[in-house]
Amino acid sequence: MIETPYLLFLGDAPDPLAAKVAQGIKDWRPDFALGQLRMEGCRADMKLPDMTLAEAKAAGAKTLVIGVANRGGVISAAWKKVLIAALEEGFDLASGLHNLLRDEPDLKAVAEATGRKLHDVRVPSVKYPIANGEKRTGKRCLAVGTDCSVGKMYTALCMEREMLARGMKASFRATGQTGILITGGGVPLDAVIADFMAGSVEWLTPDNDPDHWDLIEGQGSLFHVSYSGVTMALIHGGQPDALILSHEPTRSHMRGLPGYDLPSLEAVRDMALTLARVANPACKVVGISVNTAALDDDAALACCAEIEARMGLPTVDPFRHGAGRLVDALEAM
Amino acid sequence: MIETPYLLFLGDAPDPLAAKVAQGIKDWRPDFALGQLRMEGCRADMKLPDMTLAEAKAAGAKTLVIGVANRGGVISAAWKKVLIAALEEGFDLASGLHNLLRDEPDLKAVAEATGRKLHDVRVPSVKYPIANGEKRTGKRCLAVGTDCSVGKMYTALCMEREMLARGMKASFRATGQTGILITGGGVPLDAVIADFMAGSVEWLTPDNDPDHWDLIEGQGSLFHVSYSGVTMALIHGGQPDALILSHEPTRSHMRGLPGYDLPSLEAVRDMALTLARVANPACKVVGISVNTAALDDDAALACCAEIEARMGLPTVDPFRHGAGRLVDALEAM
């Protein structure tokens, strides 16, 4: 396991969304998030103390966690300087990047010389099976989004927190690096070999008590051409009983795809439900989670009310307003 | 490149479908298929001369091609005996299995000792990009199936043959091990990391002449819970202009999934078209290919006629009746 507490590395994040790994750790395991380290030009801020490596070390931080994404790219020379200094200062490194720390000869050499660990949570550590589609006991809920990065993980984490507070049996099931860094386990789904994607989701959500709910972390979107195959594997491997639609109301186009409009919630509902019923004919869409972070309080409530009236489903921002009504919907099933 | 001609290894294939790699080579590169090697219990037959290793070697075979699948499994001890004997006899080995020849210490050691090559066409040899969804020049056709193994590759190969005979510009684009073994290039899509699936299909089908058609080899099915994510990546990465629906009319359930019924052609049409239009709003379903291998001549024609009347689309078994009407439909676009 990764040693805590963490210093969160935000690098030269071009926008706050790029630092969603750091944000997730800060929101869901605040005790782990001792401080943040930002480079010049960084446009993300976790509202944590800005610390140098030496300051964080003195404060007790054990691991520098890379809390920022580098879309399909490389680990830059500017990052390398910080990472190598961190190893030399006595930090372990933890990362969910596609580019593995262990594949960087300089990082590997310094880690070996200093006796420090390189945690690449991106890399699957299990040989997953091919999905067999067999019905499993227990219940499963999956959030499907109009786009990537619209709050699917937060929805699942909020629902888990609410369900555990009610004494229900519930497990957040992480499918991405942030979720894995938060919970310590899961499937790094976007790094799984294509043929084993759905099988890895089956593996992640095995037979369970009849009244137990898996809250499966969603990924991508059926309407995002770069990542839709991953979403499909979640729907067919997860065989959800309940779907939550997730949406960000201020997005002007699909994330990273300037030419692509967002689909309507109706289109996502119909497509996801049709596909989900292949694996689980009883599947229902039970609610809608809206990421209202970009709206003020009144606008957030108005947005949810408008969607609720239009779609006829309980609609909340679970992070802002609580996940109670979404959990009510699961309890009513 | 892999040295030809081949001896096709059929192993202990449990049924003819398991040997579709060998069948594809025999059908599309008959000059490469010198003979077959079958073990006890083999239920596949390419109607090629059965040869021992020594007989095939004497006849000029250079490479033993593993022409049979081992679903998610291992390379058995019984197979190993044959493969090691082949290396010792002077054959290279070529394989599209998930289990890589190079990962088997005994095979690797014998190959090194004998100076023979191990070709693992399953392994991606390219660092694929993340899909960017940008519109590419040239035209693309993709076959989408009601199930796996219903003739999508054959449909594309038949159409390529017909188009080239008409003097059209056309390229079969292989996305599976058989296609790669047949053509010598392509993307082993089911072995690609999830995040790069759609990008690998974009890479495989780049900008081209306005009147050039890529015939993209389909994989899986949107309705097959084990592999639907791969199909999705083909639809969104391939941004097809034309879809062909592929069907096998005697299948009683989804391949490998006893509890799952096949979807209707109407359901596949509607689902595939809706998804394809995310990446290419002009996409059309232009025809239907039916794998009638299990039917006699009259039944095959009657089956195609029934589907054509019902669906209102040109319907043929391209392998049995020729792909002319499907190519007519592309020419008419």
Side-chain angles (χ1 to χ4, degrees), chain B residues 3-168:
Chain B
E3 277 199 89
T4 58
Y6 302 150
L7 175 62
L8 301 181
F9 176 68
L10 306 188
D12 42 9
D15 58 49
L17 273 177
K20 70 174 184 175
V21 171
Q23 189 71 51
I25 295 169
K26 191 252 185 175
D27 290 336
W28 297 100
R29 294 292 184 275
D31 293 350
F32 293 178
L34 205 64
Q36 64 186 10
L37 195 164
R38 302 192 291 166
M39 292 165 55
E40 196 175 315
C42 179
R43 293 184 185 171
D45 183 359
M46 297 302 113
K47 314 290 187 191
L48 290 168
D50 284 295
M51 293 182 173
T52 64
L53 291 168
E55 288 166 352
K57 192 72 193 166
K62 305 290 190 192
T63 302
L64 182 74
V65 175
I66 298 180
V68 57
N70 64 338
R71 190 174 185 273
V74 296
I75 299 177
S76 68
W79 282 28
K80 281 281 185 69
K81 280 187 196 170
V82 179
L83 301 183
I84 287 172
L87 290 168
E88 289 170 341
E89 195 80 32
F91 288 87
D92 291 341
L93 302 182
S95 161
L97 299 179
H98 283 290
N99 310 75
L100 303 188
L101 301 175
R102 70 182 70 163
D103 288 344
E104 303 291 325
D106 44 0
L107 293 181
K108 194 176 176 199
V110 176
E112 281 171 5
T114 58
R116 296 292 97 206
K117 289 182 186 160
L118 303 178
H119 297 283
D120 286 302
V121 305
R122 167 73 58 179
V123 184
S125 55
V126 171
K127 188 169 161 49
Y128 303 114
I130 287 177
N132 63 27
E134 289 173 16
K135 180 69 181 163
R136 305 190 292 288
T137 54
K139 294 191 175 294
R140 285 156 200 88
C141 176
L142 173 68
V144 291
T146 50
D147 193 4
C148 302
S149 305
V150 295
K152 296 183 293 292
M153 182 186 75
Y154 274 53
T155 297
L157 284 164
C158 289
M159 291 177 73
E160 182 202 41
R161 182 178 284 175
E162 172 71 16
M163 292 169 86
L164 295 176
R166 293 187 188 189
M168 297 172 71

